[in-house]
Amino acid sequence: MTGEFVTLEVAEGVGTIRLDRPKMNALNTQVQQELRAAAQEATERNDVRAVVLYGGPKVFAAGADIKEFAETDYTQMVARAEALTGSLTAVARIPKPVIAAVTGFALGGGCELALTADFRVCGENAKLGQPEILLGIIPGAGGTQRLTRLVGPSKAKDLIYSGRFVDAAEALAIGLVDKVVAADDVYTVAVEWASTFTNGPAWALRAAKAAIDGGLDVDLETGLRLESQLFAGLFATEDKRIGMESFLANGPGKAKFTGA
């Protein structure tokens, strides 16, 4: 898939959703639309088994297009806000492992995009944050919700109330990112991590993501019911048969899954 600013490139089972809107990958309306389209294609394509979100070697995404925001009034934003949230939610709902490869700035909407991923790898030069409060607004594309679920309410309030940036070391310490590597290695490490899932049982990975993400939004009893239903459904897959026959014959970790 090729958009003007967002592309989906696929190699050996890993789909890279790449942002390329100079200079800072600002998430204007067109980028949002192209992100949604890329997420939908990554969801539908069988040759995509895992996804990397990448903004290039210098910056992940520095946030919303502030010029566009400055020219938007209340009634216009009421009409646009749901589409803004929906574009990032489309990425969050990709039913495959998703890894954000963060270099440089991931601020505002850029940080919110990184939060849609299952895992985040960042460079030693990375700066992450939700500085919307400095503009007189709050995060509007999932920041108050996904950040809180990831790092807890107290730390999320610290970052959102102050608008301050955190460096890679602090982001790792508070659980905002999962790995910190040299800036030049971010994309390579993210692709290597994504590649560990490409030969896995696709339906089981999909079910695991659905159970974990869905369970976060409900009480324990409802979450357990969701897990039970997804668990039982996997007994209809070819990978279940392959995995169990391989285990009985050869022990764990040797199954050659087909994704069926």
Side-chain angles (χ1 to χ4, degrees):
M1 189 214 80
T2 301
E4 183 178 0
F5 300 128
V6 181
T7 58
L8 173 64
E9 302 168 357
V10 183
E12 299 181 343
V14 176
T16 297
I17 295 178
R18 168 72 187 269
L19 279 68
D20 186 13
R21 185 182 181 229
K23 298 180 179 178
M24 302 297 285
N25 291 334
L27 305 179
N28 70 349
T29 300
Q30 182 176 341
V31 171
Q32 295 164 30
Q33 293 168 344
E34 292 181 6
L35 268 173
R36 185 193 294 266
Q40 185 63 35
E41 183 166 352
T43 295
E44 294 174 353
R45 287 181 58 163
N46 291 330
D47 60 338
V48 175
R49 303 290 291 273
V51 174
V52 172
L53 305 176
Y54 184 51
K58 294 183 178 180
V59 62
F60 183 71
D65 188 322
I66 304 305
K67 182 179 179 181
E68 188 176 77
F69 270 16
E71 296 170 350
T72 302
D73 63 22
Y74 168 74
T75 56
Q76 290 170 324
M77 186 50 70
V78 168
R80 295 179 186 176
E82 187 172 340
L84 169 61
T85 300
S87 64
L88 270 63
T89 296
V91 179
R93 288 180 176 170
I94 295 172
K96 302 166 186 182
V98 178
I99 299 169
V102 178
T103 55
F105 292 114
L107 303 174
C111 186
E112 289 172 308
L113 178 59
L115 290 169
T116 66
D118 299 302
F119 310 106
R120 282 150 292 280
V121 177
C122 81
E124 294 170 338
N125 66 338
K127 299 287 186 182
L128 300 93
Q130 300 286 172
E132 290 88 347
I133 203 79
L134 305 178
L135 301 173
I137 58 175
I138 64 172
T144 65
Q145 302 304 304
R146 292 191 178 99
L147 182 62
T148 302
R149 285 164 169 77
L150 188 63
V151 304
S154 180
K155 186 54 66 177
K157 288 176 180 178
D158 168 27
L159 299 183
I160 292 170
Y161 288 7
S162 68
R164 69 183 183 87
F165 303 170
V166 297
D167 61 18
E170 184 176 1
L172 182 65
I174 66 176
L176 179 52
V177 302
D178 303 286
K179 291 183 181 181
V180 176
V181 300
D184 291 343
D185 297 333
V186 169
Y187 181 68
T188 299
V189 170
V191 171
E192 288 174 351
W193 195 352
S195 296
T196 65
F197 302 112
T198 57
N199 293 317
W203 286 103
L205 287 166
R206 182 184 186 123
K209 183 167 183 172
I212 294 167
D213 289 352
L216 288 171
D217 297 325
V218 298
D219 59 84
L220 177 59
E221 184 176 351
T222 303
L224 290 170
R225 284 199 300 270
L226 172 63
E227 178 189 78
S228 180
Q229 292 165 359
L230 291 164
F231 168 74
L234 294 171
F235 281 70
T237 66
E238 180 69 8
D239 279 344
K240 173 265 179 185
R241 182 191 64 77
I242 291 170
M244 294 195 178
E245 288 182 358
S246 176
F247 177 87
L248 293 173
N250 304 305
K254 299 180 178 62
K256 305 295 184 183
F257 294 112
T258 65

